[in-house]
Amino acid sequence: MAFFSWVPFFRGHYLNYHEYFALCLLGFTGLLWVISLLVWCCVAQREKIRYVYRRCANRSKTSTLETPLNSSGPTLIDIQFDNSRSVPVQKRSKCSKFQGFLSWFATVFFALFIISFSAFDLLPPPAGAILSFLVLAVRYVISLHDATPSARSARVLEKYSSLPWYKRYAATSFEIIKVLSKQRPMAFWFGLAAFASLTTVLTVFSYGTCICLFNAREGGVTAGPVTLSSWFSRSYLTAPCPNGPCHIYLTMPEETSSAMIVNIHTSSRIAPVTVYYDVVSRAGQPTSAYAYSAVAAKFEVPYFEANADRAIHSAVLATASPSTIYYFVVDWSDGVTDEKAFSSMPTDNRDITFVNGGDAGVNEVTDDMNKQAAKQNPLFAVVGGDIAYSNAMPTCYRAWDAYLSHWESQMVTDQNLMIPILTAVGNHDSGTNSMSGRYTDFDHPPLYFYLFPQELDSSGSILPPTQRKPYHVHKFGTDTVLISLDSGHSVPYDGPQTTWLNETLQKYTSISNKIVTYHVPMYPSTGGYDDVDATAIGQQAWVPLFDQYKVITAMENHVHSFKLTQPLKNGAVDTKGTLYIGDGLWGVDPTKTPMLLQDARFSATAATYHIWKIVVSSSGITLTGITRDGTVLSGTPVQRSISDMQ
């Protein structure tokens, strides 16, 4: 693919992943169709044409006429005449059989080409089934016609020779079908019925295709990193939210100490949903025993199929008491959940521990890394994009279900406290490569924007998914802010996002510990890197702001490797610069491209599964890389403070 890297299409420009996968399948089937046609034409042109005429039944000699290659007469067949009926009888040569095979090969792949449109919802399934059937039916009738002497009588052609061409073809076709249905009714009707059944089955089985990556728990058929499912296969799976909540998880607004957002998934029929909470456990008591309550805002998700319809309810819980354990239950129309708990964020300068990583997916490695992350007893976790690898395909909603189920069961502390999630958007969340030119239509945003409300409006209410931005800021304690950015997936690097970043860094100038997270790295740790254009734009738009406002750490992802840089300023090693860590390897396959071991800007690189444990204190920030088995990575921990940047 690197040979074609100058072609924008192969660089992921202009198309989202849904369109890209559809085009790949269409291109594959279409290419085979074209190749078979070309081979068929070459064979037809190169084969010598021969006609054998037998005039009488008692004639012993056979006259042979060899026509030149440029003859307009019949090709690739030997024809005998039945003297009693003067009807040509075909005698197929080996080349003729090969030509027929190529013709069928081309027809089958053209039919699959049409079905591919339906598989990716680019063509209504009934239309896909009918059109593909017509293609196969026409080819079958032609084959049956060639094998039926009376259907090829010259009288059929002569009868309509005076008509305009379009009427002649229609009348001739009708005549041939009439003859075939009478003379070979079993073959004719059984063949058409078989092709109708085949195209219907293929269309139904392939409709609503989902292609997700690194997510073996999605429920489809897995081959390597790819999992495939369709509407038909998913229809036999258990409904994710049949009775009551199926997911409950936490996100955070800008002022993390003042509120926590509880997100609840149910079927769309359930409403209202109320969260009752208190600073004292009320397990086993009625909801009236809880001191506080919050009614959740309901957002129906349009992407889910009938057996998995979904509404996401998000409730803002006011946390007036900082660094306090809150207990809550979710009450819906048919019941109440078991009690859950979380810790509110601090307002002072006490130590804050959180974990960071990216490129997760759902598999055994992800499970192990989740457990290692939970062992660090963090206040929250930052996942920097490519979370469930749904590719933003509406049909891949079960990839998110799998991810959230594992998160809820595994991301709890030793005290059984839920760990809130803070996210940045990645290319497999938005369904677009960085700087692809195909940015998110926020009138119809991907499922990612429904799942993770991370900011409130001026009245303290949850913003609807259509108004949620892919960049947001979160303040912790008195001296830490974490800024989540979009590295050119849903919105461009520059423009409004960079303006907002500049204003936000200005607003928090006095904060010592300024941390940013995003998906595509400014300084990738591997060679053979594909997103060089995006990296260059990011370095131009953001790095000067990081340097100007003394961002202490930038958390990067996307490359599927581990890295720790030297302090960098303006792209060069500088003791007053920013530390860049990454590069996203929470659960997916490690990179196979060479690590930049000799680059002086990096103090450590490796193709190793890892998360980062980050402790922020009054004296600065400590970053520790932790592997799948809990080992501390070489080169870490490393400490950094604002005084190092003065």
Side-chain angles (χ1 to χ4, degrees), residues 244-245 247-250 260-266 272-296 313-317 325-342 418:
H247 300 301
I248 301 175
Y249 55 96
L250 307 174
M260 186 68 72
I261 302 172
V262 179
N263 304 282
I264 307 108
H265 290 217
T266 71
V273 170
T274 304
V275 178
Y276 293 91
Y277 63 107
D278 206 333
V279 294
V280 178
S281 174
R282 306 291 183 183
Q285 300 181 37
T287 56
S288 58
Y290 288 84
Y292 314 103
S293 66
V295 177
H313 310 261
S314 296
V316 180
L317 275 56
I325 295 178
Y326 278 80
Y327 302 87
F328 72 93
V329 293
V330 176
D331 183 12
W332 77 100
S333 54
D334 297 328
V336 180
T337 65
D338 293 335
E339 189 177 75
K340 298 178 180 294
F342 65 88
M418 298 175 68

Side-chain angles (χ1 to χ4, degrees), residues 333-354:
S333 54
D334 297 328
V336 180
T337 65
D338 293 335
E339 189 177 75
K340 298 178 180 294
F342 65 88
S343 175
S344 59
M345 298 297 127
T347 55
D348 54 21
N349 64 347
R350 71 182 63 192
D351 291 0
I352 297 171
T353 299
F354 68 96

Side-chain angles (χ1 to χ4, degrees), residues 446-570:
L447 187 54
Y448 169 88
F449 290 96
Y450 284 84
L451 295 172
F452 302 112
Q454 300 180 95
E455 56 182 329
L456 306 177
D457 63 18
S458 57
S459 65
S461 301
I462 299 285
L463 287 169
T466 55
Q467 297 179 25
R468 296 174 189 172
K469 297 189 296 292
Y471 46 90
H472 36 89
V473 62
H474 306 269
K475 184 175 181 292
F476 300 91
T478 58
D479 213 24
T480 301
V481 292
L482 197 154
I483 300 171
S484 178
L485 299 171
D486 179 349
S487 50
H489 305 292
S490 295
V491 296
Y493 281 92
D494 49 9
Q497 181 175 205
T498 297
T499 301
W500 175 88
L501 175 60
N502 185 40
E503 293 171 350
T504 301
L505 289 170
Q506 278 185 334
K507 175 182 177 181
Y508 292 109
T509 299
S510 61
I511 296 291
S512 298
N513 301 311
K514 291 183 280 291
I515 304 168
V516 295
T517 185
Y518 45 88
H519 191 62
V520 174
M522 300 294 104
Y523 303 104
S525 55
T526 67
Y529 183 66
D530 290 335
D531 291 305
V532 290
D533 295 343
T535 292
I537 294 173
Q539 290 175 348
Q540 181 181 3
W542 293 353
V543 169
L545 297 177
F546 296 171
D547 294 342
Q548 177 184 350
Y549 293 103
K550 295 180 171 54
V551 169
I552 196 166
T553 300
M555 304 184 299
E556 305 185 323
N557 301 278
H558 186 58
V559 178
H560 303 185
S561 64
F562 164 80
K563 75 131 181 258
L564 171 67
T565 71
Q566 301 285 353
L568 300 178
K569 192 171 185 177
N570 195 27

